[in-house]
Amino acid sequence: MRRTMCGVVAVITAVVMLTGCTGSAGQSGADDKTINYWGYEGGISTETAKQVIADFEDAHPGYTVNAVVMDTADFDVKLPSTLGKASGPDLVYTGTEPNHLGRYVNVGQVSALDDVWEENGWDDLVPSTQQRLTYGGTPYAVGNELETVGLMYNKVILDRLGIAVPKTLKDLEAAMDTVRASGDGTTPMVLACGGPCYAGLHMMHALGYATIPTNTIVATTSDGDGAYTDGGWLEMLQKFQEWNDAGYFTADASGIPDENHTADFCSGGTAFMVKGPWMFNAMAECEKANPDAFTFGFTGFPVAEGMPFQAYVGTGKAWFLSSSLDGKEEKRQAVLDLVKGFTDASTFPSWIEKDQRFPAMAFDPADYSMTGPQQEAMQIIQDAGDNGGPVDIGFNNSAEETQVWVSGLQGILGGTATPQEVVDQLQAQLEKDQAAWAEVK
């Protein structure tokens, strides 16, 4: 993520978190020819993933992949008690943060990959992605779907109101002032913070890297030595409050559910939205459905004046193996063959051009046909360089901290919490997470 263009990749994750599945999570792992595979939809339901699984089963007679699509809530409930056991998955495709992969590594539930890393070509992963794949100097996961977060905008609205694409945070605020003052009912910025408040957390990705040095963000983690009381966090939440008070966000955002919250943006009712390339396919469909009201644009989220350009740039997902496979040489090798299939260079055209998801392996962009937004996402990653940060604010440290973020943002939006109160609550939870991390290490 912080290198030349041929050594970086952009991520395009799922448009909608699926709740269905292609297999059964209750199926026992007792059958050594059944590979129980739990993952986010990008690693199971995309055209590329389905083809890789089919090819694997053809090449490995007798083996069946029982692939089950799960979301974050499913993983939080099911993985801690089943990973590393026969009743759990053999292969997992989920996040690589301490909140996800890290906590399972620490308690011995994940199989180390140092014995097969180079022979499978995984040492050719974009170096920065390995920050979240490696614990204690040992690789435990194979990254995929490199992510960033940027500023989406509706060109139709900007052209109608004479607004240039914002280059600085002040430019963005001026643009939102113009939208609000237009009097035509257009909302400046999409925000939905009901339920899991994913859109609010994405806003924290954007505002955090726009106002806080990357090294501060990276240190404010369960495996770091930073604190939410360090400079920048309070000011960032105050900026969020200012934007809410100024009327920039969707009305009553704290009560709007995540499901279908992008509809007003797609239909031409909102000027800006903070999301990542996982939404590109959906935005293309919006353009087709509303050609007169919506033309999609994507750019880096502007940073505060005087700061170098920064952005969230992280490995969206990764494959890792259950430690229950250790000692089962044949089956472990079969699962490794499946992961190798997902990461083989022959799949890159399908990942990139069909599914608009990019592997975390080095490749030459000139070899593939990419849309304008895809190219812009890669430019964001290149521009961020060493200031690209792998910490996805709000999702990184623990499920408990995520809930503090969610309730805190909802409180700020609803006028029942202050930024200082939220910082205090975050710091209290961070101290617990840091102590727990140190203890298991």
Side-chain angles (χ1 to χ4, degrees):
M1 46 184 141
R2 310 163 166 128
R3 341 274 146 217
T4 61
M5 285 294 279
C6 59
V8 290
V9 284
V11 73
I12 295 85
T13 316
V15 173
V16 181
M17 187 67 72
L18 299 184
T19 56
C21 64
T22 59
S24 171
Q27 187 165 328
S28 171
D31 181 1
D32 280 346
K33 295 291 186 179
T34 298
I35 296 174
N36 289 313
Y37 173 31
W38 298 1
Y40 289 115
E41 70 90 26
I44 292 178
S45 300
T46 55
E47 290 302 311
T48 306
K50 289 187 289 187
Q51 187 61 56
V52 168
I53 291 171
D55 290 346
F56 168 84
E57 291 179 335
D58 288 344
H60 295 73
Y63 275 94
T64 300
V65 178
N66 178 43
V68 182
V69 173
M70 291 192 175
D71 61 18
T72 301
D74 290 329
F75 280 126
D76 285 343
V77 170
K78 297 174 182 177
L79 266 188
S81 62
T82 61
L83 186 62
K85 300 178 182 179
S87 60
D90 300 299
L91 180 65
V92 178
Y93 184 71
T94 186
T96 59
E97 308 90 337
N99 183 28
H100 295 107
L101 171 65
R103 62 172 166 166
Y104 303 123
V105 168
N106 275 347
V107 294
Q109 292 176 295
V110 182
S111 181
L113 301 178
D114 51 330
D115 61 322
V116 296
W117 196 250
E118 291 187 14
E119 69 182 64
N120 284 301
W122 296 328
D123 56 333
D124 197 34
L125 284 160
V126 175
S128 56
T129 70
Q130 297 188 45
Q131 294 181 17
R132 280 293 186 261
L133 310 177
T134 304
Y135 289 88
T138 299
Y140 285 90
V142 182
N144 197 41
E145 299 193 58
L146 193 65
E147 288 183 333
T148 188
V149 167
L151 182 66
M152 296 184 170
Y153 57 93
N154 185 345
K155 295 179 183 178
V156 173
I157 294 174
L158 267 60
D159 288 348
R160 184 177 74 239
L161 299 178
I163 299 172
V165 176
K167 301 298 184 184
T168 69
L169 207 56
K170 284 187 177 180
D171 289 344
L172 177 56
E173 291 173 334
M176 291 191 290
D177 283 334
T178 299
V179 173
R180 186 188 54 184
S182 67
D184 62 3
T186 303
T187 300
M189 177 75 74
V190 170
L191 189 70
C193 202
C197 193
Y198 292 140
L201 294 174
H202 294 149
M203 181 63 70
M204 294 301 97
H205 293 24
L207 269 178
Y209 285 99
T211 59
I212 305 171
T214 293
N215 58 1
T216 298
I217 295 172
V218 172
T220 315
T221 53
S222 53
D223 56 341
D225 58 3
Y228 282 112
T229 51
D230 293 340
W233 292 103
L234 176 61
E235 292 78 9
M236 184 266 286
L237 285 170
Q238 288 171 336
K239 177 66 68 175
F240 179 75
Q241 183 181 52
E242 289 172 11
W243 285 14
N244 181 57
D245 293 346
Y248 292 161
F249 297 140
T250 308
D252 301 319
S254 62
I256 298 175
D258 190 72
E259 293 79 10
N260 299 319
H261 74 274
T262 62
D264 194 57
F265 181 65
C266 289
S267 62
T270 305
F272 298 103
M273 181 168 71
V274 171
K275 290 289 182 183
W278 63 87
M279 292 293 295
F280 285 172
N281 276 337
M283 295 300 100
E285 292 303 313
C286 289
E287 284 190 314
K288 293 177 183 177
N290 304 289
D292 295 330
F294 182 78
T295 302
F296 176 54
F298 185 68
T299 190
F301 192 89
V303 302
E305 291 185 4
M307 288 189 64
F309 181 74
Q310 301 182 160
Y312 161 64
V313 181
T315 307
K317 306 294 180 290
W319 291 278
F320 56 90
L321 280 63
S322 169
S323 61
S324 65
L325 294 172
D326 295 341
K328 298 179 180 180
E329 184 176 347
E330 179 183 330
K331 188 173 185 181
R332 182 173 186 267
Q333 185 57 55
V335 177
L336 288 168
D337 288 347
L338 177 57
V339 178
K340 174 63 175 174
F342 285 124
T343 61
D344 190 86
S346 65
T347 66
F348 290 4
S350 182
W351 281 120
I352 295 167
E353 296 171 2
K354 288 185 179 179
D355 298 322
Q356 292 201 28
R357 290 162 171 82
F358 289 76
M361 308 285 285
F363 71 92
D364 186 348
D367 292 339
Y368 305 95
S369 175
M370 288 185 284
T371 65
Q374 284 179 297
Q375 294 173 25
E376 183 62 34
M378 294 188 72
Q379 189 65 51
I380 291 170
I381 293 170
Q382 183 184 45
D383 290 346
D386 289 337
N387 292 314
V391 173
D392 46 349
I393 299 168
F395 293 109
N396 187 77
N397 295 334
S398 69
E400 292 78 13
E401 189 189 278
T402 297
Q403 290 308 306
V404 175
W405 274 106
V406 170
S407 61
L409 295 180
Q410 290 172 341
I412 290 173
L413 291 169
T416 60
T418 67
Q420 184 63 63
E421 290 170 342
V422 176
V423 165
D424 292 343
Q425 293 163 4
L426 287 169
Q427 180 60 26
Q429 183 59 52
L430 177 64
E431 289 173 3
K432 295 178 183 178
D433 293 338
Q434 289 174 334
W437 186 265
E439 182 177 347
V440 295
K441 287 184 68 177

